[in-house]
Amino acid sequence: GIRVRVEGQHHLDPKQSYVIVGNHRSSLDFIVNAHAFPGIFRFLAKQELQKIPIFGFVVRKMCLIVDRRSAISRARSVVVMKQNLAEGYSIFIYPEGSRNKSDEPLGMFYDGAFRIAIQTKAPLAVQTLVNIHNITANGAGLLPGTVRVVWEAPIETKDMGSDDIQGLKTLVEEKMRMRLKS
């Protein structure tokens, strides 16, 4: 009884590598994210997800793993993300860092995804999942309904520098908040 309606996918070129950012409200998000993107991408995932039975196997195969507590692991993950982008993969990063379990539509955004997009000059693709928290009953189960996946036109980062991280982060947050209100 769960349907997915994708909007704005025409903005994306399946042959282009992107740094993709999206809001993160449920454990179902990664399945919807994968369904809605026309190209090939890899998630950036926290190391703890590997420990979940069965799901951990999927994480090891599909994701770039980072130990967020280790500066060395974080630095290695940046190198691996850059390599994957150069090889034609897109990279999906949740800018909130973890699943947003608050009553707010979005959690606080970290700089990492925006820094990677600017450093690699990769376009930033913004995806917003609308209504996912109702479908997942805020973590209590699954309910029938439609999840809207909305893609914005990619944001070019080729002329941006580190001074633009905060502005880019604010722009993306505003776009997501606008979609979540509709």
Side-chain angles (χ1 to χ4, degrees):
I2 298 173
R3 293 167 305 284
V4 177
R5 187 174 78 219
V6 182
E7 301 170 17
Q9 195 176 41
H10 65 279
H11 294 300
L12 303 172
D13 178 354
K15 296 179 180 93
Q16 171 69 50
S17 294
Y18 298 96
V19 171
I20 307 166
V21 292
N23 57 320
H24 191 21
R25 293 290 294 208
S26 77
S27 56
L28 189 64
D29 294 353
F30 81 98
I31 296 169
V32 175
N33 299 142
H35 173 75
F37 185 66
I40 300 170
F41 71 88
R42 300 189 77 186
F43 282 101
L44 179 64
K46 57 187 177 181
Q47 181 178 341
E48 298 83 6
L49 294 177
Q50 296 181 93
K51 297 175 184 173
I52 301 170
I54 300 170
F55 182 71
F57 175 79
V58 174
V59 168
R60 284 188 292 279
K61 295 296 181 192
M62 286 185 57
C63 300
L64 306 172
I65 307 299
V66 64
D67 179 354
R68 297 182 302 178
R69 297 168 299 192
S70 166
I72 293 170
S73 178
R74 290 193 309 268
R76 279 188 195 134
S77 70
V78 169
V79 171
V80 173
M81 281 187 278
K82 288 179 180 179
Q83 289 172 340
N84 274 260
L85 284 163
E87 292 171 5
Y89 290 97
S90 292
I91 304 296
F92 198 114
I93 304 172
Y94 293 116
E96 297 163 292
S98 299
R99 193 169 359 146
N100 175 14
K101 297 178 183 177
S102 75
D103 292 334
E104 295 298 317
L106 292 173
M108 180 187 82
F109 281 12
Y110 292 94
D111 292 351
F114 309 100
R115 184 176 311 281
I116 292 294
I118 289 171
Q119 286 178 351
T120 60
K121 305 297 183 193
L124 188 70
V126 180
Q127 179 196 83
T128 307
L129 302 182
V130 181
N131 198 37
I132 192 83
H133 62 285
N134 292 333
I135 302 295
T136 59
N138 288 323
L142 295 176
L143 300 171
T146 301
V147 178
R148 271 180 64 217
V149 181
V150 183
W151 289 101
E152 306 295 337
I155 301 167
E156 286 297 332
T157 63
K158 61 185 173 198
D159 295 326
M160 293 184 181
S162 58
D163 292 345
D164 296 305
I165 291 171
Q166 187 58 48
L168 182 58
K169 187 166 65 168
T170 300
L171 174 65
V172 169
E173 185 176 353
E174 288 171 356
K175 287 178 179 290
M176 285 185 180
R177 284 188 188 282
M178 178 192 71
R179 295 296 182 183
L180 291 167
K181 287 180 183 175
S182 63

